[in-house]
Amino acid sequence: MAAQCGLALKMAVSGNGDAPQEKPALPHSRQDVIEDGNGAGGERQRPGGLIRVKSAGESGRRGLHPIQFFQIIWRSSSSVSKAVNILWPFVPAALAVYYTGVGSPALRFSLSYIAMVPCANLIGFSGAELARKMPHMLGVLTETTIGSIVEIVLFLVLLLSTGNENRFYIIRAAILGSILATMLLCLGACFFAAGARHVTATFDGAISEVGTGLLLMAGLGLAIPSIFQHSISVSLGNYNISQDNLNDRTLQLSRVVAVLLLIAYIVFVWFQMHTHHGIYDAIFEHDEKRDHDKHKDRAKAKLTLTECAVALSASVALVTLIALALVHEIEPLVEATHISDPFMGLILVPLVEKAAEHLTALDEAWDNQINFALSHCIGSTIQTAMLNAPLVVIVAWGTGARLDLSFEIFEIAILILAVITVGNYLRDQKSDYLEGFLCIITYIAIAVAAFYFPTPLEAFNEGAEGAGGAESGEHVERMLFR
């Protein structure tokens, strides 16, 4: 009996028995992945700099080949992205009804809203194709930045193509809405997709810990001007300043905070790309090894550098045109349907902004590349809070527009609570479908609250002041984007 027990123990330790083996630990350096790949018969890593095209992104072609170009774009990166391409007929239809002025406001807005999805999907796909040709960390950063083009274009169109100051409320709501959509809806969908194929999905602490800390810092930075203004405005007489003076102080504080957030983002990029890039490269290479579709992805035809540039240029141009149509149809839609500004800015606009990034991250989570998916979700959220939001404030500053970061208490409270909730889910470096489902339910609850939240009177007052008080109160109430 003792001999049998000893033999069983020996077999278990040596790995020759039937006992389940412990899952290998996630790598902590790039050398870990190289040694693991070489020891297991994997492909030896080839040295190279930033300009080397990775083998995973090589197309074997040069220049522009129209037939192959359209075939690759139509096939896209996944079945979901390919299904989105069915919506391309809505693009010319949306442009036609907008520039001819036919149809109801609801029809024109709906067509523009749907048409934005395939255009954003093309931006995401061409950005992913370009990122395949780069080193991992540079590729992830490039793909995330390209995916934010739709958001940046919408922010700038809202800021520069309309003259009424009421647009500032929608921009502020869209900033927070974009953060919430990526942090709760997209991350929850990724957790759910990964949990549908695996009992638990594990990710590296280097991504979750740094990401959680930056999310909390960015949320606090965005909250500072709001807390400052609302703390003083409730007892304005005690501070011996006027409301105009408080607004000026809040504006100056917002601009300083925007510059500080931008500096923090630059330091974060330097951290990822220069001093600690080896850790992140190791994590992403480990994800590539456990990709369920890695053999199919390598066998697929890929875009050339020229075709990536053409696809990006065409999609950005289309997104800009659709954004103009979308933004200018918001006012007639609000007048006709009485949708509140918080729901428009916090929910509707961000959903179409982040369509490309959501599809990309969801496909990665389904393929067991949870670190890639997490990097896109957290990276996109950080980029919105620390790059895109400060950028639009600085551009407004340069054009003389008085855009600040004073959010509603309802909005900023939801943001801080959402950051704390997501940080708690990321703390154990594991996820399952239950956590994903809870994130999605939380986002739906926020959407319902935004639907019933009325448009604040401050938005109406801003419009009246910006027009010199000439408009009547009733006209200003519904004059959002004229």
Side-chain angles (χ1 to χ4, degrees):
M1 186 60 145
Q4 292 177 350
C5 292
L7 179 60
L9 179 60
K10 183 177 180 180
M11 291 175 66
V13 172
S14 62
N16 297 327
D18 296 329
Q21 299 296 309
E22 185 179 354
K23 290 183 179 180
L26 292 174
H28 295 287
S29 69
R30 194 170 186 272
Q31 188 63 29
D32 292 346
V33 178
I34 295 175
E35 292 173 355
D36 177 68
N38 294 335
E43 181 183 0
R44 181 175 294 273
Q45 301 294 318
R46 297 177 300 172
L50 290 180
I51 60 173
R52 177 177 61 85
V53 175
K54 288 171 50 183
S55 60
E58 291 176 350
S59 64
R61 301 178 292 114
R62 288 187 177 183
L64 177 64
H65 304 265
I67 296 178
Q68 289 178 289
F69 175 68
F70 286 110
Q71 287 177 341
I72 295 172
I73 287 177
W74 173 257
R75 189 193 64 242
S76 197
S77 58
S78 65
S79 56
V80 177
S81 297
K82 184 177 181 180
V84 168
N85 286 330
I86 299 175
L87 302 177
W88 273 107
F90 285 90
V91 175
L95 295 175
V97 298
Y98 171 68
Y99 286 105
T100 59
V102 300
S104 64
L107 174 63
R108 294 196 296 268
F109 178 85
S110 299
L111 288 175
S112 299
Y113 196 87
I114 297 173
M116 184 67 78
V117 178
C119 297
N121 183 56
L122 179 56
I123 288 180
F125 174 68
S126 53
E129 287 288 296
L130 183 61
R132 285 176 180 270
K133 306 177 187 300
M134 301 178 179
H136 292 96
M137 198 58 247
L138 180 61
V140 170
L141 179 63
T142 301
E143 189 174 357
T144 303
T145 304
I146 290 174
S148 296
I149 287 178
V150 178
E151 180 176 81
I152 295 172
V153 168
L154 276 172
F155 285 169
L156 294 180
V157 167
L158 282 167
L159 178 67
L160 302 176
S161 69
T162 57
N164 194 278
E165 291 193 11
N166 286 335
R167 68 196 187 276
F168 295 159
Y169 182 86
I170 298 293
I171 293 175
R172 288 193 292 263
I175 290 172
L176 294 191
S178 178
I179 295 173
L180 293 173
T182 309
M183 190 169 53
L184 290 174
L185 181 62
C186 182
L187 186 63
C190 289
F191 283 172
F192 191 88
R197 302 187 74 175
H198 305 275
V199 176
T200 57
T202 57
F203 44 85
D204 198 272
I207 294 178
S208 59
E209 291 175 9
V210 174
T212 302
L214 282 169
L215 286 176
L216 191 57
M217 188 279 293
L220 177 61
L222 293 176
I224 287 174
S226 305
I227 297 173
F228 174 84
Q229 185 180 51
H230 289 284
S231 298
I232 298 176
S233 62
V234 294
S235 54
L236 197 59
N238 297 336
Y239 296 96
N240 195 28
I241 60 173
S242 64
Q243 185 63 49
D244 290 339
N245 186 271
L246 175 59
N247 293 339
D248 290 337
R249 290 169 183 253
T250 304
L251 179 62
Q252 298 303 322
L253 174 61
S254 299
R255 290 169 175 173
V256 172
V257 168
V259 173
L260 293 176
L261 287 174
L262 193 57
I263 293 173
Y265 181 77
I266 294 173
V267 174
F268 166 61
V269 172
W270 178 262
F271 176 87
Q272 284 190 317
M273 296 295 300
H274 185 72
T275 60
H276 291 68
H277 69 92
I279 298 176
Y280 291 98
D281 286 342
I283 294 169
F284 295 137
E285 288 179 23
H286 177 75
D287 253 27
E288 283 189 342
K289 290 179 180 296
R290 61 181 185 179
D291 180 10
H292 290 317
D293 295 335
K294 60 182 177 182
H295 301 297
K296 293 181 181 179
D297 290 339
R298 282 187 173 272
K300 286 180 180 178
K302 300 172 182 65
L303 295 178
T304 65
L305 282 172
T306 303
E307 290 169 344
C308 287
V310 171
L312 279 172
S313 301
S315 55
V316 169
L318 287 173
V319 161
T320 303
L321 293 174
I322 297 296
L324 287 169
L326 184 70
V327 165
H328 286 88
E329 291 303 324
I330 292 180
E331 178 194 351
L333 178 72
V334 170
E335 291 179 348
T337 62
H338 305 291
I339 295 176
S340 68
D341 294 350
F343 185 74
M344 178 64 70
L346 205 60
I347 304 299
L348 291 183
V349 174
L351 283 179
V352 75
E353 288 174 2
K354 295 294 187 178
E357 294 173 2
H358 292 184
L359 292 175
T360 300
L362 189 60
D363 178 58
E364 290 168 342
W366 180 256
D367 290 339
N368 199 31
Q369 293 182 292
I370 189 65
N371 286 301
F372 272 111
L374 202 62
S375 295
H376 280 109
C377 292
I378 297 180
S380 175
T381 305
I382 292 172
Q383 196 168 74
T384 298
M386 302 178 66
L387 176 64
N388 299 349
L391 180 64
V392 72
V393 171
I394 293 173
V395 171
W397 186 5
T399 59
R402 297 176 59 85
L403 173 63
D404 58 32
L405 294 174
S406 178
F407 301 95
E408 292 298 314
I409 293 298
F410 162 75
E411 297 168 343
I412 210 66
I414 284 179
L415 174 65
I416 299 299
L417 291 175
V419 170
I420 295 173
T421 301
V422 170
N424 186 60
Y425 288 150
L426 297 176
R427 185 175 54 186
D428 61 355
Q429 301 174 28
K430 294 185 297 183
S431 68
D432 50 49
Y433 72 88
L434 176 60
E435 292 180 345
F437 180 76
L438 294 178
C439 285
I440 296 173
I441 287 296
T442 303
Y443 183 79
I444 294 174
I446 293 173
V448 174
F451 180 79
Y452 287 106
F453 198 88
T455 301
L457 291 175
E458 295 162 1
F460 307 150
N461 295 335
E462 282 181 1
E465 293 171 4
E471 297 94 341
S472 65
E474 181 180 357
H475 179 66
V476 173
E477 276 191 359
R478 301 281 27 120
M479 185 175 176
L480 293 175
F481 292 96
R482 187 165 298 172

